[in-house]
Amino acid sequence: MTTNADVQSLFPLKLQNVSLNLNEKPVLKDVNLTISDHGVTVILGHNGAGKSMLLKILHGLLQPSSGTIHWGDTNHASDQVRRRQAMVFQKPVLLKRSVEANIKYALDLPHSHSKWSCVELLEHAELTPLANRAARSLSGGEQQRLAFARAMATGPEVLFLDEPTANLDPDATLHLESLIQTASASDIKVFLVTHDMGQAKRLATEILFMRNGSVEEHALKEDFFNRPSSPYCQSFIDGVLLSNNH
Amino acid sequence: MQDIWQSFELAWTLIVNLNPALSEIVLLSLRVSLTATLIACLVGMPLGALLGIRHFRGKWAVTVVLNTFMGMPPVVLGLLFYMVLSASGPLGWLQLLYTPGAMILVQVFLILPIVTALTKQIIEDAWVEYQPLFQSLCVSRSGAVKTMLWDTRTSLLTVSLAGFARAISEVGAVIVVGGNINHLTRVMTTAIALETSKGDLAMALALGMVLLMIALTVNAMVFSARQRLPV
Amino acid sequence: MKPLLIKLLITLTLSAPLHSTYAGESILVQSTTSTANSGLYDFILPLFEQQTNIKVNVVAVGTGQAIRNARNCDADVLLVHAKSSEEKFVEEGYGVQRLDLMYNDFVIVGPQNDPADINEADNATDALSKIAAGKALFASRGDNSGTHKKEVSLWQATSIDPTTDSGRWYRETGSGMGATLNVSVGMNAYTLTDRATWISFNNKQQHKILLEGDSTLFNQYGVILVNEKKCPDTNSHAGQKFIDWMTSPEGQQRIAQFTLDDQQLFYPNAAPQ
């Protein structure tokens, strides 16, 4: 972890009886979780299972309707927690500026404590030749790499990725996956929402499988794929088309 | 028809000969309306942005009033400012009446609702897209406003042009607070009104064409600058 | 292009004078459109400004509005043509003293074919009666200006109230003399106008003077210094200089010299000082 001695650790992350209602509809139901700072937590599940909502609650973009969330000893409602995290959205929200300016924007935030310079971040995401291009003129894969590099520019301890490769071709997907692996290797905790089973197998340390707003299974990758706890999990892994309600 | 053709010839002669009386009027028109546009943008754009992202009680009422003021008849605003700036009015001590300063002031208030309302709409739309990012990055409200004002710069340039167009083309407000005084407060539109009242319709139309040429030049310059905005 | 644009913006905006850039003294004259539009001031003022170094700023509006503005202290000198209103203005203490300055006359203009035959009329009252009787179109200023007040007094002499037919043959434009003449020409109507505006009016088309020379059509211009007791910020000193010069033999001669198309527009008649 990049945590200094005088800064409290964000882990373990603890959710107790967390529920979320949107427009009077339950989206998350009584979620209880303990997650360590280790590796990549991949969140799987069908559309509407509550994966993205869980991610947003963890990042503090949404407040739970009930229940408590603690990052280490810190109540998650504080801005202090979010400043040590970053998020990459499914559809990247790039500023209408150059590639370089997008990264500098995050670097120049008062709470950024990135170890890397703009040049290093560009180089790492292989965007150096595109530094002066308009960010929104890039290809989908390049845009997502830029969003990733910009997230890294805040120097996060936790990274939330909401289906970052959903609209990318295989090459672009692999490219982004290698960036995710490097980040994880440098002790950044990664939460990844994906629909791509292969990606889950490639990247995950542990799997959070969600169904109808509840956590159906929380297990190490090997256990999840080799010894699924329920027939529902098994059919999901096998790629059987299932209705969320069955 | 003959009159119209005559006006074209006259407009051409006026421009080609760089008529000094005309250039004085043209320059004052540009000074007044550009200054008014600049001030209105400096005030109206941040204001519009704040209105765009803030939620408060009665916001709809503010929006409706603002949109209504976009249709404020210039002459009504002119009369209001005449009463305020008149020597017997509350701000008479400023001694602004019948000066270019008064004309700038009245035009600022004339186009401020346009600039503010259009900016509000643009920032509101941008906010839908940017809000999650700002929240994720813990960007302050003022930081968010600054970021969005820069990111919507091409749209805002068009907003400023809309404001400028309204300012340079209105006659009602400037003629009341400016007085159309020769060599002091005579601008293109008041000169056109004067020539019309003298029955010199060809000259009035020629001046109108010159005014359009100026507006064309300003628009072309802004358009070319827009192409060169940093990406 | 961009540096040029920025340079242009800066020079245009920052250099914009809030007040007049004129360094010396200046006065504000509230006057009628007839005097200003004819070009009288452009002809006589340079001489005065050169001799006294006083800049004269003229706001040309209808007499009614000019008096209103002067009542609000937005003037140093009032130069209009509605004697009774001017006298009232002085009586109420807004003006120091009213002086005769010059005169010309009103004329009735109309379409060349003269449908109401006012060319044959004995005088203005007769002409207006014929217009009313024939329900011929008549364009009125309807704006409480000096010319409008004169027109109203002429109608009073005929005992006809044309406003009962307003919108039918009697058309009130509510605008300045020039705008009303444009309307009059456009709809083939009769109109009362001062001679100076008519001579300098460029859009006569088929209109011409059909009645003139009646003594009731006399048009007297007066000049008044705004009273500093009512309006403390008034530049009385320079204003008085302007009035003194206008009524001096030199100023009066200059007024007489002003011609358009070889016609004299104003006849000086200030009392000798």
Side-chain angles (χ1 to χ4, degrees), chain C residues 24-29 48 52-56 76-77 225 234-245:
Chain C
E25 256 185 310
S26 70
I27 57 167
L28 189 66
V29 178
F48 170 74
T52 58
N53 221 10
I54 295 170
K55 172 94 172 68
V56 182
D76 301 305
V77 172
L225 181 69
T234 303
N235 190 349
S236 290
H237 173 72
Q240 188 61 54
K241 266 191 173 170
F242 174 71
I243 291 175
D244 288 347
W245 187 84

Side-chain angles (χ1 to χ4, degrees), chain C residues 80-97:
Chain C
V80 291
H81 63 149
K83 196 167 177 179
S84 59
S85 304
E86 293 163 42
E87 282 168 342
K88 190 161 164 250
F89 181 80
V90 174
E91 260 168 45
E92 288 171 355
Y94 290 101
V96 177
Q97 184 192 5

Side-chain angles (χ1 to χ4, degrees), chain B residues 46-63:
Chain B
L47 191 68
L50 272 177
L51 282 174
I53 66 167
R54 274 247 134 100
H55 291 280
F56 52 90
R57 275 168 63 95
K59 181 176 172 172
W60 68 271
V62 173
T63 308

Side-chain angles (χ1 to χ4, degrees), chain B residues 31 34-35 82 86-88 94-95 97-101 179 181-182 184 194 196-201 221 224-225, chain C residues 1 5 8 12-13 15-20 28 30 37 42 57-59 69 72-74 178 182 200-203:
Chain B
R31 274 177 178 180
L34 283 176
T35 310
Y82 168 79
S86 163
S88 58
L94 283 174
Q95 299 202 323
L97 194 65
Y98 303 132
T99 66
I181 298 170
N182 205 1
L184 180 61
L194 176 65
T196 308
S197 77
K198 284 185 188 172
D200 202 340
L201 306 189
M221 286 175 81
S224 115
Chain C
M1 190 56 123
L5 185 75
L8 198 79
L12 280 176
T13 54
S15 67
L18 286 183
H19 295 82
S20 164
L28 189 66
Q30 289 281 355
N37 289 8
D42 296 334
N57 293 320
V58 181
V59 175
N69 290 349
N72 288 334
C73 302
D74 296 320
N182 278 327
S200 57
F201 187 67
N202 266 320
N203 187 28

Side-chain angles (χ1 to χ4, degrees), chain B residues 183-201:
Chain B
H183 305 305
L184 180 61
T185 58
R186 183 161 300 164
V187 289
M188 291 299 292
T189 52
T190 60
I192 291 170
L194 176 65
E195 293 306 328
T196 308
S197 77
K198 284 185 188 172
D200 202 340
L201 306 189

